[in-house]
Amino acid sequence: LKRRVRKMHCINLTYFVWTFSRAGVVVPDFMRFVGDYLCDSGKIPMCDRCSLATMIWNFSKCGVRHDRFFECSAVELLRPNRLRSLAPRNFQNSMIAYSRMSHWHEKY
């Protein structure tokens, strides 16, 4: 499965992970691999507003900590064009996920 992740578009990957998260199927190693892949490959900016918020929610729902993914996502969420594009539900879901994970970084 990990070999195929690199062949998936980040939006498809988000909803693939969502199917597991929604069902309560938690595979921490796979979640960390996905987070590392998104950060290392620079794919986070390629996510649309819904998929970015959903991937953040996925980590929160599964209770899998990935500080680097949350920090990279925060950088993306703070870009003015991205921030203006967020629907209220995207902003809300992201903030709830950050809160649930008790993720705090002074810079972001």
Side-chain angles (χ1 to χ4, degrees):
L1 194 58
K2 289 179 180 179
R3 285 181 284 162
R4 293 182 177 245
V5 165
R6 298 183 200 299
K7 296 180 181 181
M8 297 176 75
H9 190 280
C10 57
I11 295 173
N12 295 338
L13 178 59
T14 296
Y15 294 107
F16 175 75
V17 172
W18 178 84
T19 59
F20 291 99
S21 301
R22 182 84 171 132
V25 177
V26 181
V27 185
D29 289 340
F30 181 69
M31 292 293 293
R32 285 188 201 96
F33 177 82
V34 168
D36 288 342
Y37 168 71
L38 291 172
C39 293
D40 294 342
S41 66
K43 301 278 186 184
I44 291 174
M46 293 178 64
C47 292
D48 64 5
R49 65 186 186 176
C50 294
S51 64
L52 179 58
T54 300
M55 188 59 89
I56 295 166
W57 179 88
N58 288 337
F59 278 90
S60 168
K61 172 80 166 109
C62 291
V64 176
R65 280 204 80 78
H66 197 300
D67 291 337
R68 188 164 61 111
F69 173 74
F70 271 68
E71 289 167 19
C72 290
S73 296
V75 169
E76 179 61 22
L77 288 169
L78 288 174
R79 283 189 325 106
N81 286 346
R82 174 68 76 168
L83 192 55
R84 279 193 295 270
S85 78
L86 292 177
R89 69 181 172 275
N90 306 134
F91 188 79
Q92 170 190 339
N93 290 341
S94 298
M95 294 305 106
I96 289 170
Y98 277 87
S99 176
R100 280 185 183 162
M101 297 303 290
S102 300
H103 185 85
W104 172 255
H105 190 286
E106 286 185 25
K107 186 175 178 182
Y108 309 112

